Amino acid sequence: MNDRLPPAGALLAPTDRTPGTTLPAATHTPAERVTTVSPPGPTRAATTGVTPDPAGFVLTVAARVPASDGVVCLALRRPDGGTLPPWTPGAHIDVVLDGGDSADGGMIRQYSLCGRPEERDVWRIAVLREPRGRGGSAHVHDHLREGDAVRVRGPRNNFPLRPAARQLFVAGGIGITPILPMVEAAEAAGADWRLLYGGRTRASMAFLDRLVPYGDRVLIRPQDTHGLLDLAAFLGPPEPDTLVHACGPEPLLEALREACTDWPTGTLGVERFAPVETAAAGPDEAFEVELARSGLTLTVPPGRSVLETVEEAGVPVGFSCREGTCGTCETDVLDGRPDHRDSLLTEEERAAGATMLICVSRSCGPRLVLDL
C-alpha cells in the first residue's frame, strides 16, 4: 500500500452512526498494511498456492503512468519476460527500495496488486505520494523510472475475497487498490455486488476508468462534492449471504465497523493502513524461547523482540514490517502462551495461541517453544 491515506478527518461516514463500537487508537507507522477479518474469518495464509521466496527476486519497471492526482501506477515485469507467480484479489507484494530503514539496507514497503490475476507476465501496483510519509512513496515518485530494477517479495494474501452470493465493497482513497481486483472477480463470478468509493476529490481517485463499465453498481462519492460517505444508506439492513470487504483509512473503517454492528458475525472484512493498539497480556520481562528445529534456547530481554533475538543468534527468519501488521514473521507456537501484540491475528486465532508474530508479540509465561 502507500505511506498514508487522506487526513484522518477525510472519508468519515455521516455522524448519525450508532455509538458504542469503537476501535483502539492507532499507533501509526504508515506504509505497512493491517488486515482484520471479523471472526470467523478465513485463514490468512497466502491463497496463491505458491510459497513466496523470502529472498525475493528482481523485476523491471516496464511502465510508469499516472493513475490520478498524486498516484502513480507501475507495471513490473521479469527482465526475461517470463511469467510471475500467481496471485488472487487482495494480495500484496513487498517492494525493497533504496534507503536505510531496514536490516538489509533498503526501505521495505507493501503495495497491493491492482492489476488482473490473469495477466501472468506483469504485476501492477499504485503508489500514493505522501509528503508526510517515511520516504517510500517519495522514493517511488522521485526515483523509480521505466527500465529501473527493483527487488520484490511475495505475493501474499492476508485480505482474500471471501465467496458470497452478495458482495458489498467500500474503498477510501488509495484503498481502491486491493478492492478493484475483488470487484472484477465478483463480476466474473456473477455475484450480486456494489461498490462505494470515496476520495477527497474526483481527480484524486485512481482507476475510475476501470469502473466505468459497471454503471450504477459503482457509487463514486468525492468528498468535496458529496460530503461524507453515507455508509448506512449504502449497506441497508442486514441481508443473508452477504459479505462486506473494505479498505481505507482508519476513521472510515471504524465508522464501517459501527455501521455493521447488527450484521451477522463474520460479515465484515477490512484491511487497515495502520496498526491498532493492543493491550499486553503479560509484563515486559525477560523470557526464554526454545527454537525446536535449530536446537537453541535463547533469552529475550526486556525491550527486545523475539525476532531481534533470533536474528542475533543467526537463525534465518522471514520478516518485513517489524510492527505486527504484515504477517511475514508469523511462527508456529509449539508450547507456551504468546502475549499477542500484533494487529493481524483474529481474536479466535489469538485464543488458540497456535501462532504468533514474533516481531512484536512476547510471552505470557517464562518460556515459549517455537517451530524455528
Side-chain angles (χ1 to χ4, degrees):
M1 283 298 173
N2 295 281
D3 283 1
R4 286 187 194 233
L5 284 172
L11 303 179
L12 282 171
T15 56
D16 60 352
R17 295 180 279 114
T18 302
T21 304
T22 46
L23 300 178
T27 53
H28 189 69
T29 305
E32 279 71 46
R33 72 187 59 247
V34 182
T35 301
T36 300
V37 177
S38 304
T43 302
R44 292 162 298 91
T47 58
T48 61
V50 174
T51 301
D53 182 353
F57 46 95
V58 175
L59 299 181
T60 299
V61 179
R64 171 193 162 105
V65 296
S68 67
D69 287 351
V71 177
V72 64
C73 184
L74 303 181
L76 307 176
R77 298 181 185 270
R78 298 179 68 100
D80 61 3
T83 59
L84 293 163
W87 60 279
T88 53
H92 70 274
I93 58 174
D94 296 340
V95 179
V96 183
L97 305 167
D98 292 338
D101 70 350
S102 76
D104 61 4
M107 298 180 286
I108 301 174
R109 299 294 183 263
Q110 297 172 333
Y111 300 103
S112 290
L113 292 170
C114 57
R116 296 181 171 91
E118 63 270 21
E119 295 180 322
R120 292 295 308 280
D121 61 340
V122 61
W123 283 348
R124 302 183 193 278
I125 60 173
V127 182
L128 170 68
R129 184 185 186 101
E130 176 46 65
R132 295 168 297 173
R134 296 179 298 161
S137 70
H139 181 89
V140 170
H141 278 255
D142 295 341
H143 299 291
L144 277 188
R145 297 291 183 264
E146 291 186 14
D148 286 348
V150 62
R151 184 156 60 91
V152 303
R153 301 192 305 217
R156 291 188 302 274
N157 197 338
N158 298 329
F159 183 48
L161 175 63
R162 299 168 293 151
R166 182 170 178 260
Q167 300 276 9
L168 298 178
F169 301 104
V170 180
I174 198 63
I176 190 62
T177 50
I179 297 295
L180 183 58
M182 291 185 175
V183 163
E184 294 173 341
E187 175 71 10
D192 177 15
W193 65 269
R194 290 186 296 138
L195 166 65
L196 177 63
Y197 180 15
R200 289 171 293 181
T201 65
R202 188 178 185 89
S204 72
M205 300 170 69
F207 303 117
L208 294 180
D209 56 331
R210 283 174 62 179
L211 296 172
V212 168
Y214 302 124
D216 59 7
R217 287 196 178 199
V218 176
L219 300 178
I220 305 297
R221 295 293 183 264
Q223 186 177 352
D224 63 340
T225 58
H226 289 76
L228 304 176
L229 293 181
D230 190 345
L231 297 177
F234 175 71
L235 295 173
E239 293 192 22
D241 202 11
T242 298
L243 292 178
V244 181
H245 293 82
C247 184
E250 187 62 27
L252 171 63
L253 300 184
E254 179 182 351
L256 184 58
R257 182 167 178 174
E258 292 181 4
C260 288
T261 299
D262 295 331
W263 288 66
T265 300
T267 294
L268 177 62
V270 306
E271 183 165 63
R272 291 191 168 86
F273 290 86
V276 294
E277 289 181 350
T278 57
D284 287 320
E285 296 179 353
F287 60 94
E288 285 190 346
V289 58
E290 179 183 337
L291 310 183
R293 285 189 281 119
S294 302
L296 297 175
T297 298
L298 309 173
T299 298
V300 181
R304 301 289 286 176
S305 69
V306 176
L307 174 60
E308 290 169 328
T309 303
V310 169
E311 284 183 297
E312 290 172 357
V315 177
V317 59
F319 67 91
S320 180
C321 71
R322 292 184 179 268
E323 61 180 23
T325 65
C326 73
T328 307
C329 70
E330 186 173 358
T331 302
D332 289 341
V333 178
L334 304 181
D335 193 23
R337 187 161 69 95
D339 178 6
H340 296 291
R341 303 184 183 189
D342 64 275
S343 301
L344 183 63
L345 297 179
T346 66
E347 290 304 315
E348 187 178 54
E349 291 167 323
R350 289 168 182 256
T355 68
M356 65 182 291
L357 271 62
I358 63 173
C359 65
V360 292
S361 297
R362 298 181 67 79
S363 177
C364 291
R367 183 172 174 272
L368 284 174
V369 181
L370 302 179
D371 186 23
L372 288 174

